[in-house]
Each structure stands twice: as structure tokens, then as C-alpha cells.
Amino acid sequence: MMSVHNLDGLAPAIREPQQDSDIELSIVIPVFNEEAVLDALFSRLYAAMDRLQRSYEIIFVDDGSRDRSVAMLRQQYQERPDVTRVVVLRANAGQHAAILSGFEQARGEFIITLDSDLQNPPEDIDKLVAKLDEGHDYVGSIRHRRMDSKWRDYSSKLMNRLRERITDIRMTDQGCMFRAYHRDIVRAVLDSRESQTYIPALAYMYAANPTEVVVQHEERAAGESKYSLFKLIHLNFDLMTSFSILPLQIFSVVGMLVSIFSFLFVLFLGVRRLVVGSEVEGVFTLFAIAFFILGVLLFAVGILGEYVGRIYVQVRNRPRFLVKTILQKPLDLSGDGSQQD
């Protein structure tokens, strides 16, 4: 029997994931306007999980879809209510907020995140599970022969190198959300009060024994990517400003150096005027230097604005997401096999 719970209030920011010793694996999948690919996802995902012969649950989180995604998720729940749960958010909250809402509902000892576009094949879940069984509490993934466009591939590699230089986060492939976590790591992520965060990097900070595995990467099965160039840039700014103040420190040093060289240059021009006399040569050079310094200052103000903006978002303390409906089988709380709401 289907149990529908309407949650009109705020989803708690630090609610711990539910505990159920009978469930080993929780698969959390955010969904946003993915009606074109869901049927293929269902057929491949459930087959892959059944082959593992491990107790599991699959938690789909609809992130404010405007197509038939919710109806298809509801139908899939009705077909497999024993292992399927559906969380429907009231409005689009973003991929990471949707994953956090799934984390709150997860009951398994291990939690695995997977995108719904099938670019990371569900058949590779066993690779992550094998690493978890070895005792690792965080398993990242490295996409083998990425099937994205060249500009996304190159930009991702560039941001990987930049992130490694300015943070202590060591991830070979930061853009891949196909990852596995021990529930203790998920609990620490949920306890974090940050209004905006990059989950793989935050979880890495809490991990005691992280590792990575190589997984396959496929072309998108259907539909189109929900990440535009602007969203990718915004995501990388979030990543840098969430885990390092090095950009601010760099511009502090640059500001001091520019001030020193500017002072020395003023002394040089003063001495030159006394020795050679006034002249108009070099005026364009001075303009070029002035424009360069102005550009550095504007860029520094932009970086500072990113940090101030994060503070502004944080102090507003708005909810990261609102849960509208949860479709799930009633929990067995009696211990005698009977089900209760």
C-alpha cells in the first residue's frame, strides 16, 4: 500500500538519516525534467541492484520537474514499493540540495549518489560497493574516456588543477557525482550548516580513508544537460570559496606588490623629472599601467564580492529545500513484521 506523507514545513537542515539495519545500500538519484531517460534508467538500475544480492533502497528526488517525471516516478514506486522511495520537492532547489534531501531519508549503511542521465552506468555500482566493503568510507569515481563535449572536458581538467592548488581537496574528477559514502560521512555532511556547499568536497574533508575507482562514461541516453556554462562557472566559484580563502590572500599579496612597485615608479618619475625635465613621452605607457592596476582591482573586488555574497546567503538562513511529498512504504516499527505509518 502506498504511503504519501505531505510535509508542508521546512525540511530540517541537520536531520540525521534514518537508520534501518536491514538495508545495506541507499541509492540517491536527483531527477529534474528527465522523462526521456527514466524508463531506461529504471530497467538498468533495478537489474543492476538485484544482481548485487544486497539489501537496498532507491531514493529518487524530484527537483521541481515540469514534465512527466513525477508521474513516472510514482508509477515506478507502485511497481517496486519494497525498494523504491520518491521525494518530491516543492520547487527546483538545485542538484546538491536535492541530494541532501535524499541523504535525510536514506536508511542504508552506505549511501551512493548517481545522476539520472545514465552517463554513469548503474552496472558500475558494484565497483564502489567493493571499495566500501574494503573499509573505505568515501569512494570517488574517475570517468574513463569522457563522452562530454571537448570544452566541458578541458574546462573540467582546468578547474581540477586550479582547485587542487587552492584547496586541500584531492579529487581526480571533481565533476562526477557518482560517489559512495559511509553513513557517518553523510551524517557529518547533514550536520554542516552551510547553505551552499559542494557535497563531494565537503564529504572528502570528513573522510578518514577515501579512495577512487575508474568507472565507465557514456553519452547521455536522452534529453539534454541541465548544467549550462554559467551554472558550471557558478559551481566552481562555490567550490573555491567554500573551501579556501587563498584567492583573498593572493590578492592581498598582489595588492602589496602593486603598491610597492607603484611607489618605486613614482620615485623614479620624480627623479627623472628633476634630472631630465618635464616631457610628454610615455603617457600611453602610464595609461596602460593604470588600466592594468584598475583591472586587477576590479577582479579583486569581484572575488571579495563572492565571499561577501556567501556570507549574505548564509546569514539569511533560508531553507535549502522544501519537501512536498514523500512516497514510501510504511516503516515496520513493531519488530514483528507488521507495518505502521
Side-chain angles (χ1 to χ4, degrees):
M1 179 178 180
M2 180 172 63
S3 175
V4 180
H5 304 278
N6 294 315
L7 305 181
D8 293 329
L10 167 65
I14 60 172
R15 176 182 173 185
E16 291 188 357
Q18 302 176 38
Q19 184 79 33
D20 191 329
S21 58
D22 293 334
I23 297 178
E24 297 179 77
L25 304 174
S26 294
I27 314 299
V28 176
I29 304 177
V31 176
F32 179 60
N33 293 338
E34 295 288 6
E35 65 175 351
V37 74
L38 284 180
D39 283 334
L41 174 64
F42 296 152
S43 62
R44 292 177 59 179
L45 176 61
Y46 286 87
M49 295 304 300
D50 289 339
R51 283 195 297 268
L52 288 178
Q53 296 184 343
R54 309 276 287 263
S55 58
Y56 71 90
E57 64 175 0
I58 298 176
I59 303 173
F60 295 100
V61 182
D62 182 80
D63 190 20
S65 295
R66 294 183 294 274
D67 59 3
R68 295 182 55 253
S69 293
V70 175
M72 296 176 70
L73 293 175
R74 181 185 293 272
Q75 181 179 357
Q76 181 60 29
Y77 165 77
Q78 292 171 338
E79 293 180 3
R80 294 291 302 270
D82 55 325
V83 293
T84 306
R85 303 169 71 194
V86 179
V87 179
V88 181
L89 302 186
R90 286 193 173 277
N92 180 256
Q95 182 187 33
H96 292 263
I99 291 174
L100 288 174
S101 69
F103 280 174
E104 288 190 350
Q105 301 300 323
R107 302 170 183 166
E109 184 68 17
F110 303 124
I111 294 91
I112 298 173
T113 57
L114 175 69
D115 288 339
S116 58
D117 56 15
L118 283 179
Q119 287 197 276
N120 296 121
E123 293 79 7
D124 279 348
I125 290 177
D126 61 341
K127 296 180 180 179
L128 280 67
V129 174
K131 290 296 182 180
L132 291 170
D133 289 338
E134 292 176 7
H136 297 283
D137 55 0
Y138 174 102
V139 184
S141 58
I142 305 170
R143 289 170 287 189
H144 177 61
R145 293 174 56 188
R146 288 188 60 175
M147 303 302 293
D148 290 325
S149 60
K150 289 185 177 180
W151 75 266
R152 288 196 65 169
D153 190 14
Y154 294 147
S155 62
S156 178
K157 291 179 180 178
L158 176 63
M159 294 310 302
N160 279 338
R161 294 192 184 97
L162 179 60
R163 182 254 311 142
E164 287 183 356
R165 290 183 177 275
I166 67 175
T167 73
D168 294 327
I169 309 299
R170 298 290 179 263
M171 294 184 297
T172 304
D173 190 352
Q174 71 179 34
C176 186
M177 292 299 293
F178 188 29
R179 298 175 186 271
Y181 313 93
H182 190 277
R183 67 177 298 103
D184 290 341
I185 304 299
V186 168
R187 184 180 294 111
V189 170
L190 290 175
D191 285 343
S192 299
R193 300 298 187 94
E194 301 177 33
S195 58
Q196 295 179 337
T197 189
Y198 187 73
I199 294 173
L202 185 61
Y204 181 92
M205 292 179 59
Y206 299 132
N209 188 20
T211 190
E212 293 181 324
V213 295
V214 177
V215 297
Q216 297 301 314
H217 195 241
E218 303 175 358
E219 293 185 3
R220 210 177 205 283
E224 58 184 17
S225 173
K226 307 305 185 294
Y227 271 100
S228 63
L229 177 60
F230 175 78
K231 287 185 177 180
L232 289 173
I233 294 174
H234 178 73
L235 182 64
N236 283 288
F237 267 116
D238 273 349
L239 178 59
M240 288 187 291
T241 56
S242 294
F243 300 96
S244 176
I245 61 171
L246 184 60
L248 292 178
Q249 295 170 334
I250 289 175
F251 278 102
S252 295
V253 173
V254 170
M256 289 188 291
L257 293 176
V258 170
S259 298
I260 293 172
F261 282 116
S262 298
F263 178 72
L264 295 176
F265 191 58
V266 169
L267 290 180
F268 168 75
L269 292 179
V271 173
R272 180 183 175 86
R273 181 180 179 87
L274 293 176
V275 175
V276 179
S278 61
E279 54 181 341
V280 297
E281 290 85 353
V283 63
F284 292 107
T285 301
L286 292 178
F287 280 147
I289 294 173
F291 288 145
F292 170 75
I293 295 175
L294 182 61
V296 171
L297 290 175
L298 289 175
F299 189 56
V301 170
I303 293 293
L304 180 61
E306 284 291 326
Y307 284 93
V308 173
R310 291 188 64 84
I311 296 172
Y312 170 67
V313 171
Q314 187 70 37
V315 299
R316 289 187 303 183
N317 199 29
R318 292 179 180 176
R320 291 179 289 195
F321 55 85
L322 290 174
V323 176
K324 179 180 180 180
T325 302
I326 299 178
L327 309 180
Q328 64 180 358
K329 191 176 181 180
L331 289 174
D332 181 5
L333 302 178
S334 64
D336 59 2
S338 62
Q339 293 181 347
Q340 300 179 13
D341 281 321

